[in-house]
Amino acid sequence: MNYNIALLKGDGIGPEIVDSAVRVLEVVGKKYGHTFNFTPYDIGGISIDNNGVPLTQETIDGCLKADSVLLGAVGGPKWDTLPGNMRPEKALLGIRSAMNLFTNLRPAKLYPALKGECPLREDIVAQGFDIMIVRELTGGIYFGERGTRQGKYGEEAYDTECYSRMEIERIARVAFETARKRNKRLVSIDKANVLDTSRLWRKIVHEMASEYPDVECTDMLVDNAAMQLVRNPAQFDVIVTSNMFGDILSDEASQITGSIGMLPSASLNETTRGLYEPIHGSAPDIAGQNKANPIATILSAGMMLLYSFGLSEEYNNIVTAVDKVLEAGYRTADLSHGAPYLSTTEITDKIIENI
Ligand code: NAD
């Protein structure tokens, strides 16, 4: 088969890690007889430098006509002082919105080979964990009405959270279906003791639970969830939550897997087109040093094969290759604790050897 992939390398370590994932995809394509055609587009800081804006119509059109999109990361100190709507990160919200990517799947699992990296107590680590975080991605406070104004005490700023029934129902459905295909346990995370949006969220999730009697569905307040994730992560199978809570909790989950450089994500809409990216940022502190861990991006490319192209064997091949490389003791700098480590390109070579 022929697949057209839009490449959004972005800033910082973005180009290095996307290049690694492209190399892996090319090898997988060769092995299984697929052709992946890659078309690069600017996004984020590089787009500001080249085009004056973080996201151009050309990039949006390129992503909309591609079969799928692979993204590195955006942002960096060079653009930090620009006004909010001109910042590189604005491009992420723009492309998610343009592609209507309302679902963000963020798997967080503890690789047996990385148990030593987990900062939690030994007895908690021994139980392991494998969590799928289903985060709502195009609504909530990140997309709500916002502004600055003069208030009673001078300058003030506000952001608003709004969720419609439609937005909650469609993300909850993805979560119930995901739980059904896994261990059939779903925890819906909200702040229903304070927020009206959360009370609506909870009401709708409860209504839908009756359609999924095979899935055990429970609620948890977000502050408790933040605590439970480090106290007993093994209790979670699938989590569903709003845009901002999902953003924060998935970063927390990444830390207990050992490194943020390990976590992939898939952003999906109602079609097979998706956008796949690591959950970390552009890591300006290590950019250009061939030191970044490319595994999150390689696994994101793997998720593309699975969710957009239905290539489960090819996906499993990538996951197994990563497992084998970690089992063999190979590490990137973020996982090495000062011991000798492999560069971005070297660990990519090892993964490719195992495909
Ligand atoms: P970050 O995720 O870029 O980095 C946090 C820490 O993790 C740094 O020490 C970094 O070196 C390390 N790290 C991240 N990815 C790594 C990898 N693959 N391998 C090894 N180490 C890795 O977060 P930050 O420092 O808060 O943000 C840096 C920039 O990235 C900011 O401009 C921010 O806005 C942007 N950002 C972008 C995205 C995105 O593009 N999706 C997400 C988060 C942050």
Side-chain angles (χ1 to χ4, degrees), residues 13 73-76 80 89 92 260-261 277 279-286 292-293 334:
I13 60 171
V74 301
D80 272 353
E89 295 79 2
L92 295 177
I260 197 165
E277 59 175 319
I279 78 153
H280 58 72
S282 58
D285 51 334
I286 54 166
N293 184 348
D334 51 316

Side-chain angles (χ1 to χ4, degrees), residues 5 56 83-84 114 164 190 232 335 337 353:
I5 300 172
T56 62
L114 295 186
S164 66
D190 61 36
N232 177 15
L335 296 166
H337 306 290
E353 278 168 28

Side-chain angles (χ1 to χ4, degrees), residues 210-240:
S210 60
E211 290 177 49
Y212 295 88
D214 52 324
V215 175
E216 177 199 310
C217 176
T218 50
D219 308 299
M220 194 177 277
L221 294 174
V222 64
D223 35 358
N224 184 26
M227 195 171 74
Q228 295 298 335
L229 262 178
V230 290
R231 199 186 137 265
N232 177 15
Q235 72 184 282
F236 295 106
D237 175 24
V238 178
I239 284 173
V240 63

Side-chain angles (χ1 to χ4, degrees), residues 23-36 355:
R23 286 178 56 211
V24 169
L25 284 175
E26 277 171 343
V27 172
V28 169
K30 216 167 176 184
K31 176 168 171 181
Y32 291 93
H34 308 299
T35 305
F36 298 113
I355 285 176

Side-chain angles (χ1 to χ4, degrees), residues 1-16:
M1 287 287 285
N2 243 308
Y3 300 99
N4 296 318
I5 300 172
L7 283 188
L8 309 180
K9 297 185 182 184
D11 311 314
I13 60 171
E16 302 162 61

Side-chain angles (χ1 to χ4, degrees), residues 72-221:
V74 301
K78 184 176 174 192
W79 307 281
D80 272 353
T81 50
L82 291 171
N85 63 346
M86 274 299 293
R87 286 182 57 119
E89 295 79 2
K90 191 75 186 167
L92 295 177
L93 302 187
I95 196 69
R96 287 169 187 166
S97 197
M99 294 180 71
N100 194 23
L101 301 167
F102 62 87
T103 298
N104 187 217
L105 299 180
R106 295 187 162 198
K109 76 168 185 178
L110 185 59
Y111 286 83
L114 295 186
K115 282 193 167 170
E117 305 301 324
C118 178
L120 301 180
R121 236 178 29 227
E122 234 170 71
D123 57 312
I124 303 173
V125 174
Q127 292 187 54
F129 58 85
D130 182 352
I131 307 170
M132 179 64 87
I133 300 178
V134 180
R135 169 188 169 197
E136 200 289 326
L137 204 60
T138 50
I141 197 163
Y142 292 179
F143 287 88
E145 195 192 321
R146 71 193 56 210
T148 51
R149 61 190 171 200
Q150 285 302 312
K152 196 170 161 195
Y153 302 105
E155 190 180 14
E156 62 182 31
Y158 63 95
D159 299 273
T160 50
E161 165 118 333
C162 177
Y163 268 115
S164 66
R165 171 172 280 275
M166 181 277 291
E167 289 172 304
I168 299 169
E169 274 177 2
R170 68 181 180 182
I171 192 70
R173 194 159 302 287
V174 173
F176 276 111
E177 295 290 342
T178 305
R180 194 167 249 182
K181 290 186 202 124
R182 291 174 44 111
N183 293 324
K184 300 184 172 49
R185 283 183 291 119
L186 175 64
V187 180
S188 171
I189 293 174
D190 61 36
K191 187 69 183 166
N193 53 344
V194 178
L195 302 176
D196 272 342
T197 40
S198 282
R199 283 191 274 273
L200 180 65
W201 181 285
R202 191 176 278 212
K203 182 175 106 175
I204 292 171
V205 169
H206 285 193
E207 284 169 15
M208 292 174 69
S210 60
E211 290 177 49
Y212 295 88
D214 52 324
V215 175
E216 177 199 310
C217 176
T218 50
D219 308 299
M220 194 177 277
L221 294 174

